[in-house]
Amino acid sequence: MLSSVPQRKTRWKSKKMVKVTRSYPIFPFLNVWEEVRGLLPVDGEPNPGVGLGVEEGLLCQMVHSPEFNLFPDSVVFESNFVQVKKGRNWVDIYKASNTMAVGVTSSVPCLPLPNILLMASVKWHQGQSQTWNRPSKAPKIILKRILPLKFVELQVCDRLQRILQLRTVTEKIYYLRLHPDHPETVFHFWIRLVQILHKGLSITTKDPRILVSHCLVPKNSCSPSEDSNSVQKKPQASQPSESLLQLMAEGESEALAQIFADLHQPSQLSSRSSKKTQIKRDNSEKNTPSEDSIPCTPDLRWRDSFTYGEWERENPSCPQPLSLLSTLAASMGPQLAPLIGNSI
Amino acid sequence: MLARFRRPSPWASSPPSREKKGGRGGVGKSCLLLQFTDKRFQPVHDLTIGVEFGARMITIDGKQIKLQIWDTAGQESFRSITRSYYRGAAGALLVYDITRRDTFNHLTTWLEDARQHSNSNMVIMLIGNKSDLESRREVKKEEGEAFAREHGLIFMETSAKTASNVEEAFINTAKEIYEKIQEGVFDINNEANGIKIGPQHAATNATHAGNQGGQQAGGGCC
């Protein structure tokens, strides 16, 4: 059993051999719904999620590869980000060839919300498209962290600059700018994900065509008026074009529908700090933790008071009822469009 | 060969408040990993949540082996999360802090956890870390040796700070895994064993387990 240094290219090839198992069978309702809407890709047609670089990407291929073999039955929603830091302007921390792949997935495909965050560093070759899922020459990707989403707070930090703030319960903060190679649609997906992680599945129940048997989110954390207000406030000009809507609808049917179908209950951290979830549009904040700084040891005692429900468990005891899926389907509907471009 | 060591962080059993109160990071799992992969010591380290990954190439018997190390959270509150990452580890480092008796007392729990959720052939090395703090020692070396003997573990005392025995801890664990491969104990064709042979290499997964107080245990290698 000889062992030698694995060549990157070889390793990549082996990854490409990995069969990505998707969670379609877990969500028959979604499939039916998609078929009705004609959103399931016809055989031979490219998966819009893959085309947008949010599905079956580098991160997905890595965690599903034999080397890690993690969450093999769960879809990964991912994008490429550039890590930045706050100053007068946002400043890249690393060279342009170094990016960060960030994604969410579910430890168990049947979870209604994603519960895992994945982070990997990616080093690209000169001139290589940094969102291409299957580059001829594989970039060097190193899985860095797997974080339970309930210990992570994700916020839209600067919408115009397409920057997310990722804060862990240990107060480690990352500012992540969506890579410029990603279309705007992809950032809308992240906005949508942030919304759902903050507010739970309730925001996916706006489609009157969807009969929702119950709401997973406590009433005090899902204010209908707040949602409706935010929708109304959305300026007309910010609404996406028809083509974009179609693209998003298709993309979401493939990417977010899968992710949202797995969406987990809002993270504990997010719920705790719901008041902080508004977008920070400028750099005026003082006393912001430094990026990648070493935080002080946090007081985690608040977690002791948590009562973990079935939806928050890493490994639910049984498949979740399909009735819940009705709350998810709405997230894929055309009515998603009004939320696009809206502040959270 | 790639060896994946998973450090069961659940082995850290100190309550969350303890870490904050004492300002201690834990038993030192993450520091051990950093010392092994980067050859440096970072006195203040983030509390590990979830899993962090490290890797290093080593040479055993003239063969290059990639150790993939999973640094898992050691706090009790993350235990359920860490459990799910034992699978597929070929080895583990179970770490306690020689200056904290409580971390030693919880070893049994972590060991049971690791054995319950991992491959039965997984190599486990017991590490008594912070050997540089002799004046504050609460757990005698003989106690660690006795525990290891009783449970069939390999034992070493290490210091992530001075790098004492850190290389040896990881490499000896890897050697043990390698020997098991040679003996046919590990089925290298079964990726669930945490061992992967590449075109010219094999991969081994080893797991680290840390115990109390936030040692890194669990995940990857360690």
Side-chain angles (χ1 to χ4, degrees):
Chain A
M1 80 209 38
L2 294 176
S3 55
S4 62
V5 183
Q7 297 300 309
R8 194 168 62 213
K9 196 168 184 178
T10 305
R11 188 166 66 100
W12 179 252
K13 280 182 179 175
S14 68
K15 280 184 189 170
K16 289 175 73 174
M17 298 298 288
V18 177
K19 181 184 178 189
V20 178
T21 308
R22 319 182 88 201
S23 55
Y24 286 135
I26 311 292
F27 307 105
F29 176 89
L30 293 181
N31 284 342
V32 170
W33 197 78
E34 287 181 340
E35 284 168 357
V36 169
R37 299 176 55 225
L39 291 177
L40 274 183
V42 179
D43 285 348
E45 279 190 11
N47 180 339
V50 175
L52 288 170
V54 297
E55 271 193 285
E56 298 178 23
L58 298 170
L59 203 47
C60 175
Q61 293 171 53
M62 165 165 270
V63 297
H64 288 178
S65 70
E67 184 173 348
F68 289 95
N69 192 27
L70 287 166
F71 325 119
D73 298 326
S74 299
V75 170
V76 177
F77 171 70
E78 64 177 275
S79 300
N80 228 336
F81 290 87
V82 176
Q83 197 173 347
V84 294
K85 63 181 178 183
K86 274 185 174 178
R88 284 182 178 273
N89 298 302
W90 292 107
V91 180
D92 292 2
I93 294 179
Y94 302 110
K95 291 188 295 185
S97 58
N98 294 328
T99 66
M100 183 180 283
V102 178
V104 294
T105 188
S106 300
S107 56
V108 181
C110 64
L111 289 175
L113 295 172
N115 62 342
I116 299 287
L117 182 96
L118 305 164
M119 300 175 75
S121 66
V122 186
K123 188 167 185 179
W124 299 83
H125 301 284
Q126 189 88 23
Q128 190 171 19
S129 170
Q130 299 189 356
T131 55
W132 188 241
N133 289 343
R134 285 168 174 69
S136 55
K137 194 174 182 183
K140 183 178 182 182
I141 178 166
I142 300 173
L143 186 60
K144 290 292 189 183
R145 304 184 83 180
I146 295 178
L147 298 169
L149 264 175
K150 63 185 174 187
F151 298 126
V152 173
E153 182 183 63
L154 203 56
Q155 295 183 19
V156 177
C157 186
D158 186 331
R159 194 185 175 287
L160 293 176
Q161 295 289 321
R162 308 200 307 178
I163 294 171
L164 297 177
Q165 176 186 296
L166 192 159
R167 181 166 71 103
T168 70
V169 72
T170 58
E171 292 298 334
K172 190 179 184 76
I173 293 184
Y174 300 87
Y175 294 104
L176 304 168
R177 177 163 54 202
L178 188 66
H179 196 279
D181 284 1
H182 280 299
E184 190 66 15
T185 307
V186 173
F187 194 67
H188 291 316
F189 286 159
W190 281 96
I191 292 174
R192 180 68 169 164
L193 177 64
V194 168
Q195 288 176 322
I196 290 182
L197 290 175
H198 286 167
K199 298 183 178 179
L201 294 173
S202 63
I203 65 168
T204 67
T205 61
K206 301 302 180 188
D207 187 349
R209 296 169 297 179
I210 306 298
L211 299 177
V212 181
S213 57
H214 62 277
C215 177
L216 289 175
V217 181
K219 287 180 180 176
N220 60 2
S221 65
C222 55
S223 165
S225 60
E226 188 180 339
D227 281 352
S228 58
N229 287 341
S230 61
V231 170
Q232 288 168 1
K233 274 189 273 182
K234 188 172 49 180
Q236 190 72 19
S238 69
Q239 290 186 7
S241 65
E242 281 300 314
S243 59
L244 179 57
L245 293 180
Q246 178 64 17
L247 182 61
M248 290 192 65
E250 291 176 355
E252 191 160 81
S253 70
E254 280 302 295
L256 289 189
Q258 294 299 319
I259 292 167
F260 293 167
D262 290 346
L263 285 176
H264 195 1
Q265 197 165 348
S267 69
Q268 304 289 355
L269 185 57
S270 299
S271 301
R272 249 176 92 236
S273 55
S274 59
K275 291 180 182 176
K276 299 177 183 176
T277 57
Q278 65 270 24
I279 297 175
K280 298 168 186 169
R281 290 180 177 278
D282 54 36
N283 307 332
S284 61
E285 280 193 6
K286 296 175 181 177
N287 303 325
T288 52
S290 61
E291 303 74 21
D292 250 335
S293 60
I294 298 171
C296 56
T297 307
D299 183 357
L300 300 178
R301 282 173 294 184
W302 53 269
R303 286 201 313 262
D304 297 343
S305 61
F306 286 170
T307 54
Y308 290 88
E310 182 74 6
W311 298 102
E312 294 166 319
R313 293 177 190 169
E314 299 305 311
N315 298 295
S317 55
C318 60
Q320 306 307 317
L322 288 178
S323 62
L324 294 171
L325 299 176
S326 61
T327 67
L328 306 171
S331 70
M332 302 155 39
Q335 75 286 359
L336 169 66
L339 290 173
I340 297 167
N342 185 40
S343 298
I344 300 171
Chain B
M1 171 182 291
L2 178 151
R4 191 161 83 192
F5 292 88
R6 296 194 174 172
R7 302 179 297 171
S9 35
W11 303 29
S13 53
S14 54
S17 56
R18 173 185 298 274
E19 291 198 352
K20 179 174 176 66
K21 248 194 247 174
R24 292 169 164 188
V27 296
K29 298 184 299 296
S30 295
C31 292
L32 282 170
L33 176 59
L34 190 65
Q35 182 61 257
F36 179 64
T37 57
D38 291 15
K39 298 189 187 302
R40 63 189 173 94
F41 176 68
Q42 188 172 290
V44 181
H45 200 284
D46 284 1
L47 178 72
T48 305
I49 55 175
V51 181
E52 295 181 9
F53 297 90
R56 194 182 130 181
M57 297 299 303
I58 62 169
T59 302
I60 296 178
D61 199 17
K63 299 178 176 65
Q64 282 197 290
I65 298 173
K66 180 184 177 184
L67 298 181
Q68 183 194 101
I69 306 169
W70 297 34
D71 182 9
T72 58
Q75 283 204 321
E76 180 70 31
S77 43
F78 299 123
R79 187 167 183 166
S80 64
I81 296 166
T82 310
R83 245 180 223 140
S84 45
Y85 301 111
Y86 285 107
R87 179 178 56 88
L93 273 68
L94 175 59
V95 188
Y96 68 92
D97 178 351
I98 66 159
T99 70
R100 287 165 54 193
R101 166 68 60 179
D102 59 326
T103 65
F104 183 76
N105 292 343
H106 283 85
L107 284 176
T108 305
T109 312
W110 289 115
L111 185 57
E112 286 172 356
D113 219 34
R115 286 198 161 143
Q116 186 179 347
H117 295 91
S118 68
N119 185 314
S120 58
N121 295 314
M122 183 172 77
V123 174
I124 301 177
M125 171 165 280
L126 178 64
I127 299 288
N129 192 36
K130 306 190 184 180
S131 62
D132 55 292
L133 301 176
E134 188 60 42
S135 61
R136 290 164 48 188
R137 179 186 285 272
E138 290 184 2
V139 183
K140 292 178 183 173
K141 187 176 183 181
E142 293 73 21
E143 293 178 270
E145 289 170 339
F147 185 93
R149 198 162 46 245
E150 181 184 348
H151 294 91
L153 315 176
I154 316 167
F155 175 72
M156 293 189 90
E157 283 196 344
T158 62
S159 168
K161 184 175 182 180
T162 66
S164 169
N165 272 346
V166 174
E167 287 271 318
E168 290 83 352
F170 283 91
I171 290 174
N172 288 354
T173 306
K175 282 180 178 172
E176 192 77 11
I177 295 168
Y178 183 76
E179 284 173 17
K180 285 199 172 190
I181 294 171
Q182 303 287 57
E183 294 165 3
V185 174
F186 281 125
D187 177 8
I188 55 175
N189 296 315
N190 182 357
E191 286 165 355
N193 287 329
I195 298 163
K196 180 179 151 196
I197 309 276
Q200 296 180 1
H201 71 280
T204 304
N205 291 342
T207 300
H208 258 206
N211 65 17
Q212 298 211 1
Q215 291 182 337
Q216 343 162 342
C221 67
C222 215

